[in-house]
Amino acid sequence: MRRPLAPLLGLLFVLGVALVARLREPLSSPILGAEDPFLHMVQAWDLAQGRGLPAHYPPGFPALLAPFTFLGARAFYALARWGPPLLGVAEAGGVWLLARRHLGAWPALAGGLLVALMPENVFRTDLLFPTALDLALLPFLFLATLRAVEGSRAALAVAAGLGALLLVSHPWVVALLVLTLGTFTLGVLARRHRRRALPLAAATATGCAALVAALTFLPGTWNPTSALLRHAGPRLVSLVLHPSTLFPLPQYVDLPAMLTWGALVFAAAGALCVLAAPRPLGLLALTWTALLLPIVLVDWFGVWFIPHRTVAYLSVGVALLGAHAVERLMELAPPRLRAPTGALACALALGLVLPAGLAVQPWYRIVEPNDVQAWKDLDAKGARWTVTTSWQSAAGDRATTGRDVVFNPSFFTDAHARDAALAKHPDAVVLVDRHAKENGLPTGFLASWRKVGQWGDVTAYTR
C-alpha cells in the first residue's frame, strides 16, 4: 500500500463506521423517531408558507430547513429521515481532520472512531435534532479557533460565522462555547502576553458581568442571576458541605453507558498526556472536557435535560483526548514500531466502543403505520383542512404532507367553536385516532358525518 493512501483510507473507514452506526435508526422504520423531528418540520413548513414561528422558539434551525420544503413533501421527508446520519458522519470526519492536522494519522483514526461510536453521540446524531447540526459544526469551530489564536484573521471570521450560526439555530449551546472556548482563548493569550494577563482577565470578567446584567434586566430573556441565586448557589453550598449529595447523578446521566468505559479510559490517559506536555489542541480538548464535566454531573439550574444532553458535546472532547493518548503511546514506542503501535491502539479503541456503538437502539415512535397511511390517502384525495384528535397526528400529518392540519380540542368540546371553524372550512376533514379517548375528546357529533376512510383504528369524516 502506498503510504499517502493510508490516511485517506483511515478517513474513509471512520466515515463508513459513523454512517453504519447511525443508519440503524432510519432503517428500523420508515416513520421518523420521537416527536422533535416532526415539530421541526412543522415549523419549517410554517416558515415557508408565511405563517411565522412560535415566539419562544429560535428561528435558525427551521430557517435552515425551510428551503428544503420547496423540493416537495416527499423529498423533504426523505431529507429529514436520511440527512441526520450524514451530520454525524461530518462530525466524525471533522474530528479526524482536526486530530490529523495536530497529531497525525493514527491518532486521528482513533479519535474519529471514538466519536463515531460513542453511544450518546450516535443517539444524538441519528434524528433531526439541532444537536446533530451543533456536533457536525463543532470540530470545524475548534479548528477555526485554533487557527484564530495563532493569528489568522480569516479563521477568526470563520469561527465568528460558525458561532453566529449556532446562536440562531440552538442558542443554549453557545453558553457552552462561551464558557469553554472563551476560557481556552483567554488562557492562550495570557500565556503569550504575561504582562497583559491581569488586564485581559479583568476585561473578561467585566464583559461577563455586563452580559449577565444585560440578560438579567432585558425582558423576555433567561435570567442568569435568578438561576444562580435560586439553584446554582445553593447547589454549590450543598456540594461543599456534603460532597455525597453529588449522588445520585442527574436523570439519565450514566457516563460509562453513554460514552463507554473504553473511551473514558483513553480520555483519562490523554488528559494526563496533555498535562505533561501541553499543546494547543490538547489544551482545548482538556478545557472543553473539564468545564463540561461539572455541567454533566450536577444539575445547576434545575433544568433536568441540560446535564444528559450535554454528554453528546462532552464526547467530542473525550474523543480528542483519546487521540492524544494514542499519540503518546506512539511516541514512547521505538521508531520502527510506532506505526504498529498506533494500529494496535486504534484496534483496541475500536474493539472497546464498537459493540456499544452498534447496539444503540432506535428511538420510540409517536405514530403508527395506520396514521401515516391515513395522512397519505387524505393528501391524495385533496383534503385541504384537517382537524385531528391528537397533537401527535397533527404534527405528523403536517410534517409529512405540508397540508393545513390542526389539533384543536375546542373543536370537539365547544359547539360554537366548531361552528365557527366549519364556517371558515366547510370541507373540513376530522381525523380520529387512538388518542381521542385518552384526550377526553367527544366525537359523538360525527355520527351524522360521512366516513371518508378508515385505516385500522384511525377514521376520517367529513360533512
Side-chain angles (χ1 to χ4, degrees), residues 400-425:
T400 303
T401 65
R403 294 190 304 115
D404 197 354
V405 188
V406 299
F407 170 53
N408 181 11
S410 64
F411 182 92
F412 299 90
T413 59
D414 185 339
H416 295 294
R418 181 162 60 249
D419 290 340
L422 291 173
K424 291 182 179 179
H425 306 282

Side-chain angles (χ1 to χ4, degrees), residues 240-336:
V240 171
L241 297 178
H242 307 285
S244 62
T245 59
L246 177 65
F247 301 98
L249 295 178
Q251 189 176 12
Y252 302 127
V253 172
D254 182 347
L255 292 182
M258 300 167 95
L259 302 178
T260 73
W261 277 113
L264 292 172
V265 169
F266 266 84
L272 293 175
C273 297
V274 171
L275 290 172
R279 285 177 293 173
L281 177 60
L283 289 173
L284 176 56
L286 186 59
T287 302
W288 178 262
T289 305
L291 292 180
L292 291 195
L293 195 57
I295 299 173
V296 168
L297 298 179
V298 179
D299 182 3
W300 295 104
F301 304 110
V303 183
W304 65 274
F305 60 81
I306 287 180
H308 78 265
R309 290 190 185 179
T310 304
V311 176
Y313 301 93
L314 180 71
S315 68
V316 177
V318 167
L320 290 171
L321 288 175
H324 279 80
V326 173
E327 184 206 32
R328 182 58 179 159
L329 278 175
M330 294 177 65
E331 288 177 348
L332 293 174
R336 62 187 180 85

Side-chain angles (χ1 to χ4, degrees), residues 101-240:
R101 176 181 175 86
H102 290 269
L103 303 175
W106 289 111
L109 179 59
L113 290 173
L114 287 173
V115 84
L117 290 167
M118 279 184 276
E120 185 64 13
N121 197 290
V122 174
F123 197 60
R124 296 294 170 183
T125 55
D126 59 6
L127 276 190
L128 191 65
F129 295 138
T131 302
L133 176 62
D134 298 343
L135 292 171
L137 297 177
L138 196 57
F140 301 98
L141 179 57
F142 281 5
L143 187 60
T145 300
L146 290 170
R147 293 282 292 120
V149 297
E150 291 171 359
S152 170
R153 293 185 179 180
L156 180 60
V158 171
L162 292 175
L165 177 58
L166 291 170
L167 180 62
V168 297
S169 67
H170 206 195
W172 82 268
V173 75
V174 176
L176 305 181
L177 297 174
V178 170
L179 173 67
T180 53
L181 299 188
T183 301
F184 166 74
T185 303
L186 181 63
V188 170
L189 293 176
R191 287 184 64 189
R192 291 181 181 174
H193 309 283
R194 294 186 179 181
R195 293 181 181 178
R196 300 181 185 176
L198 188 57
L200 283 169
T204 302
T206 303
C208 290
L211 179 61
V212 169
L215 291 174
T216 298
F217 295 106
L218 192 65
T221 62
W222 176 62
N223 188 328
T225 302
S226 175
L228 289 170
L229 293 176
R230 292 185 182 182
H231 297 284
R235 190 72 179 95
L236 178 60
V237 172
S238 175
L239 284 170
V240 171

